[in-house]
């Protein structure tokens, strides 16, 4: 795996894996900038954290902590889908990428995507995919992605 | 969970979960109609089958077997992603839906999608998503989906 040190010269803004203590560093508040997320109790957070940790390399959440404020200012996740297709191939699915509104323009999003795609490649995926809004297409193209299909959704609640 | 019996009156074409013996019933050949899939050895198939089975309800592959020929004529999968977003919510991801070219027009695709979305709903997902080509949009709209975002992809091989 590529280490987080290699993602540019801003050594202070390093990408690392989510830790249990990140809940108190604004991780949930950061997710709220992306989508609905009411308060999550410490117990709920810990349970989900341990559930995801048990999946090991098959589900990785990364974060960037602002070394000045100690706040989590960027995050993203990737999980590994195992298929029969493509000779029992694997696909990385990137989800929940968000950069704090106060930390835009510092290439943190690109660092997060680099970390997640490197992980998917290292784990042996033949591709990595994600869904995004039309307005975010250019950002992902700069990260090396190409538009392919359309996303369909059915909400239950 | 809704049982497979409730998906219409064609009782003979029932949706059920993938079984190990389905490899000899043309399951891999069916996937080849969707994307690249060279021959998969019995050992590779069994290993992947057991790996996915160990995930229980978090990764379900369903099939429809033609009671006349004994061949697998439709399949689809859904896996459950666990998030922190949406109050530690869950999302169903539908993948690898394909109906045999000789069995089109019998609503088998709709049965497969019904089975997979019912599973995601029963397991407590707040939504289920999938990626498809523009030309398949109308089919999924008839299944109750709506177009939302775009899919971006990065190939490694």
């Amino acid at each position: 795996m590529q280490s987080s040190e290699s993602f540019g010269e801003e050594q202070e803004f390093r990408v690392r894996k989510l830790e249990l203590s990140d809940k108190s560093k604004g991780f949930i508040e950061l997710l709220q900038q992306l989508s609905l997320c009411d308060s999550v109790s410490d117990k709920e957070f810990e349970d989900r954290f341990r559930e995801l940790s048990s999946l090991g390399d098959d589900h990785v959440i990364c974060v960037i902590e602002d070394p000045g404020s100690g706040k989590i200012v960027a995050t993203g996740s990737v999980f590994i889908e195992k298929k029969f297709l493509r000779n029992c191939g694997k696909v990385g699915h990137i989800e929940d990428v968000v950069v704090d509104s106060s930390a835009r323009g510092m290439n943190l999003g690109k660092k997060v995507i680099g970390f997640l795609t490197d992980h998917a490649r290292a784990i042996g995926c033949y591709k990595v995919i994600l869904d995004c809004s039309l307005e975010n297409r250019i950002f992902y193209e700069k990260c090396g992605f190409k538009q392919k299909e359309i996303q369909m959704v059915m909400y239950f609640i």
Side-chain angles (χ1 to χ4, degrees), chain A residues 71-83:
Chain A
K71 287 282 174 190
I72 304 300
V73 289
T75 184
S77 70
V78 64
F79 60 89
I80 312 299
E81 177 210 0
K82 291 165 186 175
K83 291 179 178 284

Side-chain angles (χ1 to χ4, degrees), chain A residues 94 113 117 128-130 140-147:
Chain A
I94 289 179
I113 295 299
T117 55
V128 61
I129 62 175
L130 58 86
Y140 286 110
E141 284 175 346
K142 286 180 181 166
C143 292
F145 285 79
K146 287 192 172 142
Q147 185 177 349

Side-chain angles (χ1 to χ4, degrees), chain A residues 65-156:
Chain A
E65 179 178 338
D66 182 333
S69 67
K71 287 282 174 190
I72 304 300
V73 289
T75 184
S77 70
V78 64
F79 60 89
I80 312 299
E81 177 210 0
K82 291 165 186 175
K83 291 179 178 284
F84 285 104
L85 263 181
R86 293 275 187 155
N87 310 326
C88 296
K90 292 186 277 193
V91 173
H93 293 250
I94 289 179
E95 293 279 339
D96 303 343
V97 176
V98 57
V99 176
D100 188 277
S101 55
S102 70
R104 304 272 161 88
M106 298 165 66
N107 279 326
L108 302 189
K110 210 168 176 182
K111 284 187 184 185
V112 164
I113 295 299
F115 185 93
L116 299 173
T117 55
D118 281 353
H119 176 77
R121 188 189 287 110
I123 220 81
C125 293
Y126 70 90
K127 70 175 178 181
V128 61
I129 62 175
L130 58 86
D131 295 318
C132 69
S133 63
L134 250 181
E135 66 186 24
N136 281 334
R137 186 181 62 181
I138 292 172
F139 165 72
Y140 286 110
E141 284 175 346
K142 286 180 181 166
C143 292
F145 285 79
K146 287 192 172 142
Q147 185 177 349
K148 193 170 179 209
E149 300 201 304
I150 57 172
Q151 184 215 40
M152 307 292 291
V153 60
M154 181 192 289
Y155 280 94
F156 297 133

Side-chain angles (χ1 to χ4, degrees), chain A residues 26-46:
Chain A
F27 175 70
I28 296 295
E29 291 75 8
L30 179 62
L31 287 180
Q32 287 170 343
Q33 295 182 33
L34 185 64
S35 181
L36 293 177
C37 194
D38 296 336
S39 62
V40 172
S41 75
D42 288 349
K43 172 74 166 61
E44 288 167 330
F45 187 85
E46 185 169 343

